[in-house]
Amino acid sequence: MSYLNNRIGHREALLSTRSVVKKENYVVLEVDGLVKNAIPGYEKCDSTILGSPEMGASFVDYLVTAHEGGKNDAIGGNGIESFLYVVSGAVSVKNADKEADLTAGGYIYSPADKPFSFVNKSAEDAVLYVYRRRYQPLGDLAPFTVIGNVNEMEWVNYEGMKECTVKDLLPAAGNFGFDMNMHILRFEPGASHGYIETHFQEHGMLFLQGKGMYRLDNDWLPLEKGDYVFMDSYCPQACYAVGDEDYIYIYSKDCNRDVEL
Ligand code: UGY
Ligand code: MN
């Protein structure tokens, strides 16, 4: 069952799940099975904790459904950087520097010394992907507030492939003030990564559209819209898009820091 797919009560079929939990390696969470978590600060919201340090992640990801008047007055701050992406619906966001009305595809990144707030002023539910992580300072450098909407950004060929394209949501490339980035990756049906990635960085990943076969560690798994994946450091990873629509996901990636010893 899940409050997210309105499947409650007994089923005809035997219970089963596509979710896989291999802590410190990778975790797949399908929608069916996700439960509501009461989280202080979130008012008139249904929230689910997705990625977390309990899996091995250095960050947390939440999926939040904000009902009319749903809000949180302070996400992040006290050393925690934060990010919110609007999957559907609309919310107003604000921090000490900026404020904006975000619609689907809209996002805010707020630095670690600036908590931000959101409120859903409309009667429609808003579905939000919320990320928080302890910022890793680097000398006097600092990131800044970023507000944008992916629908106003161009797709860029990913590593020389035109069937696989990317949008970088934060200006972290060449700016060491930022210690992480958020990206959206899109594969046309039949397209794939150019190789099976195996890298130090972690990912939290929310699938926004389509279907594909995803290689995680030594497993090939069918993953689709609504699924969430945590990939720990060095988890081998790549996919093939299948079906008749583009396969699209948003994901976080740490960057720009020396490895601490
Ligand atoms: O940027 C990345 O590491 C990205 N290509 N990883 C992935 O899609 N699994
Ligand atoms: Mn990767």
Side-chain angles (χ1 to χ4, degrees):
M1 84 81 170
S2 175
Y3 73 98
L4 290 161
N5 62 7
N6 292 319
R7 294 185 74 181
I8 49 172
H10 295 295
R11 290 184 193 175
E12 291 297 315
L14 291 173
L15 299 179
S16 66
T17 184
R18 289 188 298 103
S19 296
V20 181
V21 178
K22 297 190 177 182
K23 292 186 182 181
E24 321 261 319
N25 185 0
Y26 74 84
V27 171
V28 172
L29 300 176
E30 68 156 307
V31 167
D32 203 53
L34 297 182
V35 299
K36 291 180 197 175
N37 304 126
I39 304 174
Y42 288 86
E43 296 176 28
K44 295 187 185 160
C45 292
D46 294 331
S47 306
T48 295
I49 300 168
L50 298 171
S52 75
E54 295 298 316
M55 295 175 180
S58 64
F59 55 83
V60 290
D61 282 330
Y62 293 169
L63 190 68
V64 176
T65 304
H67 306 299
E68 182 174 5
K71 64 172 189 159
N72 190 324
D73 291 335
I75 296 177
N78 285 325
I80 306 296
E81 61 189 336
S82 51
F83 179 93
L84 176 150
Y85 175 83
V86 181
V87 178
S88 63
V91 289
S92 303
V93 294
K94 187 175 181 177
N95 74 359
D97 293 335
K98 293 188 177 193
E99 56 188 299
D101 295 324
L102 303 181
T103 53
Y107 62 90
I108 178 171
Y109 166 84
S110 198
D113 57 343
K114 296 189 173 84
F116 77 91
S117 64
F118 77 79
V119 58
N120 180 1
K121 296 178 181 165
S122 79
E124 306 268 307
D125 283 355
V127 178
L128 313 170
Y129 182 47
V130 179
Y131 164 100
R132 287 178 305 129
R133 182 170 180 261
R134 182 162 296 283
Y135 177 68
Q136 289 180 269
L138 184 66
D140 295 338
L141 297 174
F144 47 85
T145 302
V146 181
I147 287 179
N149 190 304
V150 299
N151 296 318
E152 291 158 13
M153 297 165 62
E154 296 292 318
W155 290 106
V156 174
N157 287 356
Y158 187 69
E159 298 187 343
M161 298 176 287
K162 66 178 177 18
E163 301 80 9
C164 177
T165 47
V166 69
K167 293 180 180 181
D168 299 332
L169 278 54
L170 303 180
N175 185 339
F176 278 19
F178 289 85
D179 70 347
M180 54 80 57
N181 208 337
M182 281 277 175
H183 310 271
I184 291 194
L185 205 51
R186 174 178 75 167
F187 298 84
E188 291 178 10
S192 71
H193 286 81
Y195 48 90
I196 296 185
E197 299 176 9
T198 312
H199 54 65
F200 169 83
Q201 293 79 11
E202 304 169 342
H203 296 313
M205 191 176 281
L206 183 68
F207 287 78
L208 301 173
Q209 185 183 295
K211 299 185 188 75
M213 287 303 294
Y214 221 108
R215 167 79 183 248
L216 294 168
D217 192 13
N218 287 322
D219 306 318
W220 282 101
L221 301 165
L223 299 181
E224 64 175 356
K225 175 182 176 178
D227 290 343
Y228 174 82
V229 177
F230 163 63
M231 298 176 199
D232 210 338
S233 299
Y234 304 112
C235 175
Q237 54 194 260
C239 69
Y240 289 96
V242 303
D244 51 15
E245 60 178 347
D246 290 349
Y247 194 32
I248 301 179
Y249 53 79
I250 183 170
Y251 66 98
S252 59
K253 185 172 186 177
D254 43 302
C255 63
N256 291 342
R257 291 296 178 270
D258 214 349
V259 178
E260 284 182 28
L261 295 173

